[in-house]
Amino acid sequence: MKKKTRIILFLAAVVLLSLGYLLPKEKAETTLVETEPPTAQHAPLESGAVTEVEAPVVEESPLRKELAKAMGELPTATALSELDSEELHHTPEIILKGGLLVGELLEKAENEPARREETLKFLKSCAENPEVAHQIRAVCWRKTLAQIPEWKLFLPIADADVPDDIKELAIKLP
Amino acid sequence: MMNRLALLALLVAAPTFAAVEYGGVKFHSTVEKSQVRSLKNDLRYLYKSSAEKPDTKFLTYTQMQVGDGPNMHNWLLNRVRYIYGEKADFGEKNLIAIDGRFPKTPLPDIPEPPKKILNKEEPEELGVTVMSNLASYYLMGKMYNLFIGFDFDGEKVFVKSPRTGLLKVGRGLFLKEFRINKENVDHPSNSVSRLATLFHEARHSDGNGKSLLFMHDFCPADHYFAGAPACDRSGNGPYTIGGLAQKHLIQKCTTCSVAEKTALTAGVADSFGRVLLTVKNRDAEYKQMIAIYTQIIRGYEKLSNETKSEANKAYYRREIKKLKDVIAATEAEKKSRKDLVWPEDRNGAPEGEWTPVSLQESKKLMEKSLK
C-alpha cells in the first residue's frame, strides 16, 4: 500500500473511531438532560390534561425580555421606604401601579395561552424577589398559586423562596 | 363679636351656597362639582351591589348581617354624614364652640412618634389630600368640655360624637395617578377604590374611651413603613375594614378587568400588611394552604401518569414528594404554632350624642336620591 493511502486510511479510521465514541456520549448527554428538567411534551390539551412547562432555553425571547423589563418596573422595598409619611396613609401610587402591571401581564396570558408558562415563572420570581415591595410579592404569590391549576401548568413551588409573612398575607387576598 | 359678625355673614350668604344631599350624605359647597358627581356615582354603585358572594370576615368585622348594597350604605351613613371639600377652612375664625357634656370615659392613648420621626424635618410641601375624618374635633372638645362646631352651608354642625360623621375629601382621591382605570374616573374599579377609602375613614367615627377614633399607630422598626403613623394594632381598625371592604367589592365587580382587579388586590395587600401581628387561630388558612397544595399534587400525579418519559415521571414524583413534605410540615405547624397573634379587636361601639339611622330610613333616603 502506498504511504499516502495508508495515511488517508489511518486518518479515516481515526475519524470513524471518534464518531463512534462521540455518538454514544451524545446519547448519554441527551439522557442526562431529560432527567432534569424534563423536555416538553407538546401533546394537545385534553380536557383535564396537564401540560408541562418547557425547559428553559438559552436565548432571550421577546416575551422574556418583556417580562424582565416588567420585573425591573415593579415597585421596590427601597422606593417604599423613601416615601413621605403623608404619602403612606393610603395605598401609595407605586403599589397600585405595580398591581396594574402584574394584572396586565396576567390579562395578556389569559388571552394568549402561549404566554402562560413564562408569565407563571415571572409570578414566582416576583414573589421570590427580595427587592420587590412586600405587597406586590404577596399578590404575585397569590396569583402563582391560583394560576397553576387554572392554567393547568407545571411549576415547581415546594422550594419557592417566599418568606412566611408574604405567604400568609397572600392567603388573605382575593 | 367677630364670631357673630362672621356667623351673620354666613347666614346672609347662605342662599348662595347650598349643600347637595345624596343618599343621606351632604356635600358642602367646597366640594368640587366633578367630585360630587363621582361620589354620588360611588354611593349609587354601592347601594346597587348584590348580596351574592359575601365576604364573611367583612360581615363579622362590620357586624352587618348581610353584605348587600343597602346594608353597606346604611353602615356608611351611620358614620359619614357631612363631606367638606379640600378648601374648606377649619381655622379658628370658622370654629364655633359651646359648652359640652361628654361621657366619663378615658381619653385614648395618643401614640408617641419614634425619636427618628421627631427629629425628622417637616416636608416642604404636604402631600395631596385624599380623605380625612374630622372626628378629632370631638376628641379636642372632650379635652376642654366643649362641643366644637362648624358651619355647613348654613347649618351649624357640632361634633357631639365622632358619629356626627364629618369628612373632608381632596383631589388626591380623584387624581389620575391614583386611579385604577386611568381613563374613566367613574369606572367601577375607581368606585371600589374610593369606597374602600370611605370605609376606612368611616371607621375612625367608631370607638369609645381608649379605642376612640381607632387611631393609627406608628409602624415598628422592622416594618417596611417603619416610623410612619400608618399601621394598626387593632384587629378591627380602619386598615382591616378598608381592606375587607375592598376585597368584598372586588368580588362583586363584574366589569373590572383582570388588570384592574389585580391592582385593587394590591391595595388589599397594602391594607392588610399594615395590621400588625398575625392571626392566632389560623386553622382556616392552614386548611386552605393544604387544599391548594393537594390540588396541585393531583394535577402533577395526572401528568406523571400520562407522560411516557421515565425521566419526566421521576421529576414529577420528586416534586410531588416535596409538596407532600410541605403539607406534612404545614400540618405539624398547624398543631404547634401558637406564637403569632392577630391583634385583638378594640371596642367599636360609638361614643357621644348622635342619632342612628335605621336601615329603613337610609333606604328611603337613597331611593329618593335615585329617582
Side-chain angles (χ1 to χ4, degrees):
Chain A
M1 205 184 279
K2 283 186 181 170
K3 191 180 177 184
K4 199 176 176 183
T5 313
R6 274 206 293 265
I7 290 166
I8 291 167
L9 280 173
F10 173 73
L11 287 170
V14 167
V15 168
L16 283 168
L17 283 169
S18 302
L19 277 174
Y21 172 73
L22 281 168
L23 278 168
K25 195 180 171 194
E26 251 180 31
K27 226 178 179 175
E29 279 169 350
T30 306
T31 307
L32 197 62
V33 163
E34 277 175 0
T35 52
E36 59 180 76
T39 54
Q41 288 181 2
H42 293 288
L45 274 172
E46 295 160 20
S47 155
V50 180
T51 47
E52 305 154 21
V53 173
E54 201 168 21
V57 293
V58 176
E59 317 133 27
E60 277 258 295
S61 64
L63 174 55
R64 284 197 178 180
K65 282 181 187 165
E66 181 191 338
L67 293 172
K69 185 169 175 275
M71 186 67 78
E73 289 172 358
L74 291 176
T76 60
T78 310
L80 272 189
S81 67
E82 288 167 358
L83 293 174
D84 225 79
S85 284
E86 290 287 328
E87 297 172 277
L88 295 181
H89 188 71
H90 294 286
T91 303
E93 184 221 335
I94 55 172
I95 296 299
L96 294 177
K97 216 169 157 181
L100 259 177
L101 180 55
V102 172
E104 280 160 5
L105 294 172
L106 273 168
E107 214 166 277
K108 283 183 186 175
E110 281 291 326
N111 296 329
E112 295 170 57
R115 294 176 64 103
R116 290 178 186 178
E117 295 173 13
E118 290 300 325
T119 302
L120 199 53
K121 285 183 206 168
F122 166 86
L123 290 172
K124 185 180 166 228
S125 297
C126 156
E128 291 176 321
N129 188 339
E131 290 182 15
V132 171
H134 198 94
Q135 304 90 318
I136 300 299
R137 292 177 74 180
V139 171
C140 285
W141 185 241
R142 185 72 185 96
K143 295 300 177 187
T144 305
L145 296 179
Q147 299 312 129
I148 287 174
E150 181 78 25
W151 289 340
K152 297 183 173 63
L153 288 174
F154 175 87
L155 183 73
I157 55 164
D159 295 333
D161 192 13
V162 179
D164 284 346
D165 57 343
I166 288 178
K167 285 182 179 172
E168 284 158 17
L169 178 56
I171 219 80
K172 294 181 173 72
L173 303 179
Chain B
M1 178 65 177
M2 286 306 292
N3 270 343
R4 280 186 188 165
L5 280 173
L7 192 54
L8 193 60
L10 279 166
L11 286 169
V12 166
T16 313
F17 308 110
V20 170
E21 183 169 338
Y22 192 84
V25 177
K26 295 181 183 178
F27 297 91
H28 192 260
S29 52
T30 50
V31 183
E32 291 178 24
K33 281 191 180 139
S34 61
Q35 294 176 3
V36 174
R37 190 197 66 228
S38 289
L39 288 168
K40 278 183 182 179
N41 185 60
D42 295 342
L43 289 171
R44 190 166 44 240
Y45 177 83
L46 181 74
Y47 186 78
K48 292 190 169 188
S49 293
S50 70
E52 288 167 27
K53 296 187 195 176
D55 184 293
T56 48
K57 279 200 173 150
F58 179 57
L59 298 182
T60 305
Y61 279 102
T62 55
Q63 296 180 319
M64 273 187 238
Q65 299 302 314
V66 181
D68 66 354
N71 276 278
M72 288 193 281
H73 167 248
N74 177 267
W75 191 92
L76 271 183
L77 197 59
N78 274 290
R79 291 157 180 82
V80 178
R81 297 303 302 272
Y82 302 90
I83 297 185
Y84 285 94
E86 192 168 4
K87 291 181 181 167
D89 186 357
F90 295 95
E92 268 181 39
K93 58 182 170 68
N94 291 329
L95 197 146
I96 319 162
I98 56 175
D99 289 334
R101 240 187 255 173
F102 291 83
K104 302 259 183 252
T105 51
L107 294 172
D109 297 321
I110 294 172
E112 183 72 27
K115 281 186 186 156
K116 201 177 164 191
I117 294 293
L118 286 170
N119 295 335
K120 197 176 174 185
E121 279 179 28
E122 285 292 314
E124 283 177 16
E125 285 178 14
L126 290 177
V128 175
T129 303
V130 173
M131 192 185 285
S132 52
N133 192 317
L134 304 175
S136 51
Y137 285 106
Y138 172 81
L139 178 59
M140 208 189 295
K142 189 176 179 181
M143 291 177 188
Y144 299 102
N145 287 314
L146 293 170
F147 286 141
I148 294 172
F150 299 96
D151 172 80
F152 194 92
D153 288 332
E155 181 188 348
K156 269 190 270 186
V157 180
F158 288 95
V159 191
K160 296 183 178 180
S161 165
R163 286 287 187 103
T164 306
L166 263 70
L167 258 68
K168 186 178 178 183
V169 293
R171 58 201 161 88
L173 192 62
F174 306 90
L175 283 176
K176 200 170 183 178
E177 48 259 46
F178 288 106
R179 287 185 212 161
I180 306 297
N181 181 299
K182 304 291 179 197
E183 302 317 313
N184 180 4
V185 69
D186 293 327
H187 187 273
S189 60
N190 292 324
S191 291
V192 168
S193 178
R194 286 192 295 264
L195 286 165
T197 305
L198 206 46
F199 272 88
H200 171 119
E201 291 303 329
R203 189 47 159 177
H204 287 297
S205 298
D206 283 336
N208 66 86
K210 289 286 181 186
S211 64
L212 186 66
L213 310 187
F214 273 97
M215 286 195 278
H216 296 305
D217 252 282
F218 288 93
C219 300
D222 59 352
H223 193 275
Y224 44 88
F225 290 150
C231 282
D232 281 344
R233 290 201 183 276
S234 56
N236 59 342
Y239 284 117
T240 298
I241 297 296
L244 286 172
Q246 188 143 317
K247 187 178 172 185
H248 183 68
L249 291 170
I250 286 171
Q251 286 165 151
K252 292 172 180 293
C253 186
T254 52
T255 52
C256 289
S257 68
V258 168
E260 286 156 358
K261 283 189 179 182
T262 310
L264 288 167
T265 301
V268 176
D270 182 68
S271 284
F272 289 163
R274 296 159 186 256
V275 182
L276 303 174
L277 307 180
T278 50
V279 179
K280 181 181 183 180
N281 179 354
R282 301 169 69 228
D283 278 358
E285 286 179 24
Y286 278 118
K287 275 184 189 165
Q288 192 183 0
M289 262 194 269
I290 289 166
I292 288 171
Y293 285 129
T294 305
Q295 189 185 17
I296 291 172
I297 286 172
R298 284 202 194 111
Y300 292 172
E301 280 170 347
K302 197 173 169 110
L303 192 64
S304 175
N305 291 337
E306 287 168 0
T307 187
K308 288 172 187 168
S309 159
E310 285 304 319
N312 291 355
K313 229 185 255 291
Y315 185 66
Y316 299 142
R317 282 181 189 157
R318 272 205 302 277
E319 181 65 12
I320 288 166
K321 184 178 179 316
K322 280 185 190 173
L323 283 171
K324 284 183 175 172
D325 290 343
V326 169
I327 288 176
T330 306
E331 291 274 16
E333 197 178 290
K334 185 178 150 204
K335 286 175 190 164
S336 66
R337 193 163 170 179
K338 301 284 180 208
D339 54 332
L340 298 170
V341 181
W342 185 255
E344 282 178 9
D345 289 356
R346 287 187 184 163
N347 188 339
E351 183 179 297
E353 296 172 27
W354 65 289
T355 309
V357 182
S358 70
L359 182 60
Q360 199 180 16
E361 283 164 341
S362 63
K363 273 182 174 177
K364 231 188 242 177
L365 286 165
M366 191 50 139
E367 292 297 335
K368 187 177 157 194
S369 296
L370 286 172
K371 281 178 189 161

